[in-house]
Amino acid sequence: MMPTTVSSQPGNCSNNSSCMDEKQHMSIIVLLCLIFFLGFILNTFSLWVFCCRIPCWTSGTTLQFHLALSDAIATPVTPLMAVYFAMGNNWPFGPFLCKVKIALLSSHFNGSIIFLTLISIHRYTAVVRFNKSSCMKQKQFVKKLCAGVWFLLLIQALVYAFMLPPSEDGKNRHCLSIHQTNLTDSYFVINFVLLIFGFILPFSMSAVCYVRLAGSLTRLNISTPKGLKAKVKSQRMVGMCLVIFGLCFLPLNVIRTVAVVLKKYYPGKCCFLLQIEKAYYASLILAGVNSCLDPLLYCFGSQAFRDTFQSLRIKLRDAQNKSDSEITANQ
């Protein structure tokens, strides 16, 4: 979850307690829409494959489905954010849709991190503890676990939505903006809750799983096709989880933390705050890339997913070849 107002004009850069916000550069709007639109297409395809092409789910498939679902729920927010930026950071949709925006964004980012962590733990138990019983291997337990995660996401989304109401500053109405001075303390507390419990702990757990998994894979018998396949699959899945954490979520959490600390303790450093906010928008776009990278996990983790993707690619290629042949014949 993130503030979505930034001031980018040097004319507003001054050492005072109020940094006036300006209309966003069009590149921010275009890149944000492109990233989330591409993520929407990829995750819609992923959900279709899970629901229509994989009749028998395993515990791992269940976790991947819920990751795709958490990625897809941010899509309705993107047009609202684009309009908000285009109108000079003025929220025109009213307080209810502002709360919906906060709820969906927080559920999207936090849900993606939690399910990525659970996928890393599941891969660890499947390989390192392959000959021992584990609740993470039981499909019914994983289903209940996912239901519990969504319940927690719903609770935190409602809490954040009501803790961060829209507010007016001059002619603009702000929604989820760091320039809401009356909510500086709330942003400060929420940020560190998200930083510790929404990033550091999940990332640490995934990193531990990867280290333990790497040690186990060195002892895995790769002379057999089954052993080699398990090793490659595990390396790719957990490695991709760590890449997504590092590329998509690390910059977002670091820059957001610097911004809320700066706003709370050094509100007069307007020039520095505006520069941090510019960096924050770059990190926001990077965070959206996770929706595009997550489908790679499904390709690594599900043979049925890979087969469906390959068959669709072959059908598209055949259709293109047939179209080219018809065009050539008519010339």
Side-chain angles (χ1 to χ4, degrees):
M1 184 177 60
M2 69 294 294
T4 53
T5 301
V6 59
S7 192
S8 57
Q9 298 297 324
N12 287 334
C13 188
S14 60
N15 290 326
N16 54 61
S17 60
S18 178
C19 292
M20 300 300 293
D21 53 325
E22 300 275 345
K23 184 177 180 179
Q24 298 309 311
H25 194 277
M26 185 57 66
S27 61
I28 294 292
I29 303 173
V30 172
L31 286 174
L32 194 65
C33 290
L34 284 177
I35 290 298
F36 278 92
F37 180 70
L38 178 60
F40 170 72
I41 293 176
L42 291 174
N43 285 287
T44 299
F45 171 76
S46 300
L47 291 172
W48 172 75
V49 172
F50 286 131
C51 295
C52 303
R53 297 295 180 180
I54 304 180
C56 184
W57 287 11
T58 64
S59 54
T61 306
T62 302
L63 291 172
Q64 294 166 19
F65 169 80
H66 286 279
L67 175 59
L69 192 60
S70 68
D71 286 339
I73 61 175
T75 303
V77 177
T78 307
L80 303 182
M81 295 172 63
V83 172
Y84 181 44
F85 291 149
M87 295 185 64
N89 302 321
N90 183 30
W91 183 259
F93 303 108
F96 175 74
L97 285 182
C98 178
K99 296 180 186 299
V100 171
K101 168 189 169 181
I102 295 172
L104 291 181
L105 283 178
S106 63
S107 298
H108 162 63
F109 285 105
N110 296 332
S112 295
I113 289 174
I114 292 173
F115 287 117
L116 280 171
T117 304
L118 292 177
I119 287 173
S120 297
I121 295 174
H122 177 268
R123 186 89 311 243
Y124 164 77
T125 58
V127 175
V128 178
R129 302 175 61 87
F130 69 95
N131 59 349
K132 299 179 182 179
S133 61
S134 172
C135 55
M136 288 298 292
K137 299 178 184 179
Q138 301 173 10
K139 186 166 62 174
Q140 291 303 318
F141 172 81
V142 170
K143 286 183 178 180
K144 294 177 181 178
L145 180 62
C146 291
V149 169
W150 282 111
F151 178 75
L152 291 177
L153 290 174
L154 175 62
I155 296 299
Q156 61 89 32
L158 293 176
V159 171
Y160 294 155
F162 283 97
M163 284 184 65
L164 304 173
S167 62
E168 294 186 5
D169 180 15
K171 64 178 181 179
N172 287 355
R173 175 179 287 269
H174 297 308
C175 173
L176 199 59
S177 166
I178 198 172
H179 289 293
Q180 294 175 278
T181 305
N182 60 316
L183 298 177
T184 297
D185 291 337
S186 297
Y187 281 125
F188 185 83
V189 173
I190 289 175
N191 171 77
F192 280 94
V193 171
L194 292 176
L195 178 66
I196 296 172
F197 297 101
F199 179 75
I200 294 178
L201 288 180
F203 177 74
S204 299
M205 294 173 66
S206 294
V208 169
C209 287
Y210 183 76
V211 171
R212 295 289 303 275
L213 185 59
S216 177
L217 291 177
T218 59
R219 301 187 298 270
L220 191 65
N221 182 11
I222 59 174
S223 60
T224 64
K226 183 177 180 181
L228 180 60
K229 181 179 179 181
K231 179 175 181 177
V232 172
K233 175 180 176 180
S234 301
Q235 287 177 328
R236 288 177 175 176
M237 287 190 68
V238 181
M240 181 56 66
C241 287
L242 293 181
V243 167
I244 293 173
F245 268 111
L247 176 66
C248 301
F249 297 123
L250 177 61
L252 179 71
N253 281 272
V254 171
I255 296 173
R256 187 184 61 211
T257 300
V258 173
V260 297
V261 170
L262 190 66
K263 182 67 176 179
K264 180 174 177 63
Y265 293 108
Y266 304 97
K269 302 291 184 180
C270 189
C271 293
F272 192 28
L273 180 61
L274 297 181
Q275 294 301 317
I276 291 297
E277 287 181 317
K278 291 178 184 179
Y280 178 82
Y281 274 94
S283 71
L284 176 61
I285 294 172
L286 279 177
V289 174
N290 88 91
S291 297
C292 305
L293 294 179
D294 286 342
L296 291 176
L297 287 174
Y298 317 144
C299 289
F300 296 153
S302 173
Q303 183 64 45
F305 192 95
R306 289 196 299 273
D307 291 343
T308 301
F309 181 79
Q310 289 290 344
S311 64
L312 180 62
R313 187 168 65 88
I314 292 172
K315 288 180 180 179
L316 290 175
R317 185 187 61 190
D318 292 342
Q320 181 64 40
N321 292 337
K322 181 179 180 181
S323 177
D324 292 342
S325 300
E326 291 177 351
I327 293 174
T328 303
N330 292 331
Q331 288 180 347

